[in-house]
Amino acid sequence: KSAMLYFNKASQKIAIAFMDEENPQVFKLALSNNGKYGAYVSVRSFFTLNGIDNKKYAKRYDYEKMDANGQTLFVIDLNKGEDGGDDV
């Protein structure tokens, strides 16, 4: 399992698409307790490449589920912090 990440710099949104296949352009999912507690990806290189300050945005975010050409995307807005407010 893996995740493809997309970043829209103008809107400060990150979209995540989960997929079964792996290739050099995706991030491999790491399972927490064999998947019992979910999964995560290490995206430091993605943040660095896109100029995202990982300390500033190290919060929890709600997501919006969207469909893009038959592919499910989970979109987070970096302008909205843990409480859903606009103060990041």
Side-chain angles (χ1 to χ4, degrees):
K1 304 278 184 185
S2 57
M4 174 70 83
L5 278 69
Y6 306 92
F7 181 57
N8 183 316
K9 191 170 188 168
S11 66
Q12 292 293 105
K13 292 184 180 182
I14 297 173
I16 305 164
F18 295 102
M19 50 193 59
D20 290 327
E21 65 274 358
E22 292 183 28
N23 69 53
Q25 297 176 332
V26 299
F27 293 88
K28 185 176 179 178
L29 293 179
L31 301 178
S32 178
N33 197 14
N34 292 324
K36 184 177 179 181
Y37 299 114
Y40 62 93
V41 292
S42 179
V43 295
R44 184 176 302 237
S45 61
F46 176 82
F47 278 26
T48 300
L49 177 68
N50 290 289
I52 302 170
D53 182 343
N54 62 331
K55 291 181 182 177
K56 179 178 179 181
Y57 295 105
K59 299 181 182 210
R60 290 187 183 269
Y61 295 89
D62 290 330
Y63 65 87
E64 179 182 353
K65 192 173 178 181
M66 301 177 70
D67 181 72
N69 300 322
Q71 183 176 33
T72 302
L73 297 175
F74 297 86
V75 180
I76 62 169
D77 186 341
L78 295 179
N79 295 310
K80 296 186 177 179
E82 189 172 81
D83 63 357
D86 293 327
D87 299 323
V88 174

